[in-house]
């Protein structure tokens, strides 16, 4: 649960709930290239919040004059990937899991590894789903193309425990218990 000493941009997150998990297959948003991604929901009082801010500051300091042309870190023209979940609730009140949290999306063109708590690779990636609790290794990077700011790569996740699934439904054969005989026709 720290920034690695040799790379201030690399963070090993503590346990937090995950949402919008796309580690089995990459997903595309609007007209973007498909990417593997995970959104981490981080309680506002977690030390990970300051670790993420420190990684963003490090990326900024290394690129302040070149890539960002002197814009201050607080500029609204620089994208900050650490978002306030309580603001999401204003637009999407059904997303109760965001309450009291910040969130950060980490993505990559390459598939991240998934591990269990015994540090064994998880081969059935359906075991890592939106709503479970994971740790993650993420790396901050700066960018300046159509927009300027910061993003995070996802290197790996470690599933810590199950949780209630988010944003979907569970299929069960029990849905078909009533009047099965009527449909055998």
């Amino acid at each position: 649960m720290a920034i690695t000493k040799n790379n201030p941009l690399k963070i090993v997150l503590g346990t937090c709930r995950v949402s919008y998990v796309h580690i089995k297959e990459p997903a595309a948003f609007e007209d973007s290239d498909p990417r593997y991604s995970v959104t981490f929901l981080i309680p506002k009082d977690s030390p990970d919040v300051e670790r993420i801010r420190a990684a963003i500051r490090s990326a900024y300091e290394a690129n302040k004059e070149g890539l960002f042309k002197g814009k201050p870190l607080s500029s609204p023209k620089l994208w900050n990937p650490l978002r306030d979940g309580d603001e999401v609730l204003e637009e999407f009140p059904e997303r109760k899991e965001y309450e009291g949290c910040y969130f950060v999306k980490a993505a990559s063109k390459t598939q991240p590894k998934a591990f269990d708590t015994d540090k064994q690779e998880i081969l059935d990636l359906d075991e890592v789903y939106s709503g479970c609790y994971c740790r993650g290794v993420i790396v901050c990077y700066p960018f300046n193309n159509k927009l300027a700011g910061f993003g995070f790569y996802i290197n790996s996740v470690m599933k810590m425990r199950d949780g209630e699934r988010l944003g979907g439904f569970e299929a069960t054969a029990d849905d078909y218990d009533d009047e099965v005989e009527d449909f055998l026709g």
Side-chain angles (χ1 to χ4, degrees):
M1 294 187 345
I3 295 175
T4 54
K5 292 177 182 157
N6 58 351
N7 184 351
L9 305 178
K10 184 177 179 180
I11 303 167
V12 180
L13 296 170
T15 301
C16 51
R17 200 161 191 202
V18 293
S19 183
Y20 297 101
V21 175
H22 300 283
I23 63 169
K24 185 175 180 179
E25 297 288 332
F29 180 71
E30 295 177 359
D31 290 332
S32 66
D33 292 333
R35 301 218 191 272
Y36 297 94
S37 63
V38 177
T39 298
F40 294 91
L41 306 177
I42 304 164
K44 287 185 175 180
D45 61 352
S46 170
D48 288 336
V49 173
E50 184 48 40
R51 290 181 184 111
I52 290 168
R53 288 179 176 149
I56 291 169
R57 282 192 303 271
S58 290
Y60 172 76
E61 288 301 324
N63 295 280
K64 176 172 43 177
E65 296 306 322
L67 196 61
F68 300 128
K69 299 175 180 30
K71 287 183 189 131
L73 181 57
S74 60
S75 171
K77 293 184 178 186
L78 291 181
W79 171 256
N80 183 343
L82 185 64
R83 315 298 294 172
D84 190 331
D86 292 324
E87 292 176 8
V88 168
L89 287 172
E90 293 173 15
E91 188 173 348
F92 303 101
E94 70 278 4
R95 294 187 184 166
K96 299 288 185 212
E97 65 274 9
Y98 282 73
E99 186 173 9
C101 294
Y102 287 107
F103 65 96
V104 65
K105 178 181 178 180
S108 177
K109 289 182 181 179
T110 59
Q111 188 173 40
K113 295 283 186 183
F115 301 100
D116 63 21
T117 56
D118 293 325
K119 299 182 181 179
Q120 299 299 308
E121 188 171 350
I122 295 174
L123 300 178
D124 180 2
L125 294 177
D126 289 329
E127 290 183 34
V128 182
Y129 55 88
S130 297
C132 73
Y133 291 81
C134 294
R135 297 183 68 197
V137 176
I138 61 175
V139 180
C140 186
Y141 66 90
F143 62 86
N144 190 350
N145 41 39
K146 294 177 188 173
L147 297 172
F150 308 91
F152 280 91
Y153 293 116
I154 178 77
N155 281 357
S156 65
V157 295
M158 177 181 276
K159 182 179 177 184
M160 302 304 289
R161 67 180 183 273
D162 287 315
E164 183 180 341
R165 287 187 181 269
L166 299 174
F169 58 90
E170 297 215 17
T172 173
D174 292 339
D175 289 340
Y176 298 99
D177 282 351
D178 294 340
E179 305 172 27
V180 172
E181 294 78 27
D182 293 343
F183 295 98
L184 292 175

